[in-house]
Structure formats: structure tokens, C-alpha cells
Amino acid sequence: MKTLVIGAAIVDIIMKIPRLPKKGEDIFCNERTLSIGGCAYNVANILYNFDIDHDLFVPVGDGVYADIIKKNLKAKNYKVLVDDSEMDNGYSLCLVEDDGERTFINVKGIEGKYKKKWFDDLNMEEYQNIYVAGYQVCGKSGKIISHWLTEQENKNIFFAPGPVITEIEESVMKRIFSTRPILHLNKKEALDFTGKDSVEDSILALYELNKNNVFITMGGDGTLFYDGNKITQMKGEKVKVVDTIGAGDSHIGAIISAYSMGYDFNYACILANKVAGKIVQVQGTKIDKESFDKLQFLV
């Protein structure tokens, strides 16, 4: 069951700070690291670690950041499916506070300018699953990707709108919901989008829009899952949080992995909670494959 992962690969510049500065204030950075990120890349990394057959459909441009990304993709034997020299790839300044919470400042690059022609060479008969990141359906790219999604038949579409859920155009959201995607978001995103007072009411409202499975992550409280019949809460584990970068991406990546291996969505939630719980205990978005394999997530 092959998966097409659509979204972005960008460079993450991670800066550890005691707290976010106030307006006009100076603050010192305790530690700085650079890595490859982007929702799609983070999701693909989990599929990669679980040995799930997939392709990474992320545009790679021309410039300093694009060169870093190309080198990384080559090292992991990814084929560059979208090579466009119009501009460089973007980057994200990730500010991580002492409590592990993260704040992003994103600078868009080629990954924010999806083009219809990029999809022309795809053989969609190869794929059963499609993952789409929310950042890529904002603005003009959203119109292109959502129209393309409506043309795909008999596919499992996994849609993770992320924190930009309230910024995606209504017409684009309606088009995506018409494809009956499996929806994955966190508690804040669900409450912000639906305007409901409880996460339980939010998950019911979301199901009325997508008519398919809905997952709402709730940090240490686990995951709320609704399949149209029953709301189930899969408990998580209380862990020491280093940073939360990539936790949601890793969670949906684990759900897709479990589903691809033939597990039901209840077990997929349990597995995803474990994976995300490990991701928040390390700095950055990833655990390398050797370390990942030693964790023995599957039962």
C-alpha cells in the first residue's frame, strides 16, 4: 500500500530560548541547530523508519537551502520528483522555550508555489494513500492541490491542516472535505476551526464535514478518535518534553504506517501516541532509523 506524501521539505533553524521575548526586548539563544523539516518531510521520515513504501512529493528549488535539502534527500535515496529552479526552498525559524513549546516563523520558498504541471508525471495507479499538509493548501497552491485531489478516485486521503487551518480558503476546505479525507489535527486546531466549547463536540462537527475518520491529538492526554459510530480516547503517556517540533507530523506518520501494515485505527492511535511521545523527548523532529528500530514500537 504505497503512499504519496505531498507537502514541503524546508530547512529548520532551531533556537532554544528561555522564553519568547517581549516587544523591543533582547534575549539570548542557548543553543542553535540546523536540520531538514517541513510537515511532509517529517511524516515521510516516520514512514521511512517503519519501512513503508512511499514517495516524497516535495518541490526542491535552486539556492542555499535547496542544496542542503537535495543532499539530505540523496542520502536517504529519495528521488527528487519536483525540481524547479524558480527560487530557493524556504526555511523556518523554530523558537523552543524551556517548557518545550515551539513557535515558528516561516519563510516561504518554492514549496509555497505549487504548480499544476508538477502533478503531470505522477502515475497515480502506484498509490493507495495520499497525505497532504495544510501549509501547502494555503493561497493559490490550495486551489491547485484541492482540484487535483478531487480527480483522484478510490484513494485514502490523509489531511493534516495544522495550525493554518483557519487561514485556508473556505472554498478549498470544502473541496478537500468533498474527497472525504481522514482528518488529523490537534485540540487547539479543532476548537479554533469549529468554534465548539469541547473537543467532543468538535470531533462530531468535523465528522459532519469529512464523513470519515477524525483524529484529534491532545498531548499527554492521548488521542480522541471518531469513526462515525463511537468516540474513543486512546490514552497517551506523560513524558518529559524537550520540544514539541514535529510531534503532530510524527503522529499522523505513525497512523499511516500502521494502516499501511494492516492494523486497525484503534491500534494505529496507540502506536502513534508512542511514537509522538518519543519524538517530544528529543530535540528536533526526528529519530534516526537505527535508534528508531531499537525502540521496538510494534507489538
Side-chain angles (χ1 to χ4, degrees):
M1 188 180 290
K2 192 172 185 180
T3 299
L4 183 66
V5 181
I6 300 174
I10 61 174
V11 172
D12 283 338
I13 303 170
I14 303 172
M15 302 179 70
K16 297 192 71 173
I17 56 176
R19 56 175 174 77
L20 290 178
K22 299 176 182 178
K23 185 176 181 180
E25 181 184 18
D26 290 351
I27 199 166
F28 288 102
C29 169
N30 298 327
E31 186 179 338
R32 175 186 175 276
T33 58
L34 186 147
S35 65
I36 308 301
C39 295
Y41 182 86
N42 296 338
V43 168
N45 187 68
I46 298 299
L47 301 181
Y48 177 88
N49 284 344
F50 275 119
D51 296 314
I52 302 300
D53 192 12
H54 69 285
D55 283 331
L56 185 52
F57 192 81
V58 295
V60 181
D62 181 33
V64 174
Y65 297 118
D67 288 344
I68 296 171
I69 292 167
K70 284 179 183 177
K71 183 178 179 180
N72 181 274
L73 295 180
K74 183 178 180 181
K76 298 183 74 171
N77 295 315
Y78 279 119
K79 181 181 178 182
V80 176
L81 298 179
V82 183
D83 195 346
D84 193 310
S85 61
E86 179 183 340
M87 63 188 299
D88 200 355
N89 281 70
Y91 64 92
S92 179
L93 179 60
C94 310
L95 303 175
V96 181
E97 298 174 75
D98 282 344
D99 64 358
E101 190 54 74
R102 90 292 185 276
T103 301
F104 292 159
I105 301 174
N106 298 309
V107 179
K108 286 186 179 181
I110 191 66
E111 74 285 340
K113 292 192 172 185
Y114 262 71
K115 301 175 183 178
K116 185 177 182 297
K117 66 179 182 180
W118 290 350
F119 293 93
D120 292 345
D121 293 331
L122 283 174
N123 177 12
M124 290 308 297
E125 292 182 3
E126 294 183 28
Y127 308 101
Q128 185 59 43
N129 299 328
I130 301 171
Y131 162 86
V132 180
Y135 285 101
Q136 272 55 62
V137 295
C138 290
K140 293 181 180 179
S141 294
K143 295 181 174 66
I144 293 169
I145 294 173
S146 61
H147 274 296
W148 178 81
L149 286 173
T150 61
E151 297 170 354
Q152 310 311 309
E153 297 182 356
N154 302 316
K155 307 295 183 186
N156 303 308
I157 297 173
F158 293 82
F159 178 44
V164 296
I165 187 170
T166 57
E167 299 175 31
I168 300 170
E169 289 185 22
E170 184 178 353
S171 61
V172 170
M173 288 294 279
K174 284 183 177 179
R175 205 172 293 121
I176 294 174
F177 282 137
S178 75
T179 69
R180 300 185 65 181
I182 295 166
L183 192 61
H184 184 278
L185 62 172
N186 67 29
K187 181 179 179 179
K188 182 180 185 304
E189 294 158 3
L191 294 174
D192 287 348
F193 183 73
T194 63
K196 301 296 183 180
D197 294 326
S198 72
V199 66
E200 290 81 10
D201 287 343
S202 290
I203 205 167
L204 295 173
L206 289 164
Y207 184 85
E208 289 303 310
L209 297 173
N210 74 323
K211 302 296 183 182
N212 205 338
N213 298 301
V214 182
F215 299 88
I216 299 179
T217 61
M218 301 185 295
D221 292 325
T223 303
L224 211 64
F225 167 55
Y226 185 52
D227 61 1
N229 295 308
K230 179 184 178 182
I231 297 177
T232 304
Q233 183 173 350
M234 295 297 181
K235 293 183 178 180
E237 298 179 10
K238 301 292 184 180
V239 298
K240 180 176 175 57
V241 176
V242 174
D243 74 49
T244 59
I245 300 173
D249 301 333
S250 299
H251 196 278
I252 181 63
I255 287 175
I256 296 171
S257 297
Y259 184 72
S260 299
M261 290 184 281
Y263 294 102
D264 63 27
F265 280 126
N266 284 328
Y267 177 74
C269 281
I270 295 172
L271 178 66
N273 289 347
K274 290 180 178 179
V275 171
K278 292 297 182 183
I279 290 294
V280 300
Q281 294 181 69
V282 301
Q283 183 172 318
T285 62
K286 293 171 287 298
I287 300 174
D288 65 76
K289 183 161 177 54
E290 182 179 356
S291 300
F292 191 90
D293 289 342
K294 291 179 182 178
L295 294 172
Q296 298 181 331
F297 287 109
L298 295 174
V299 296

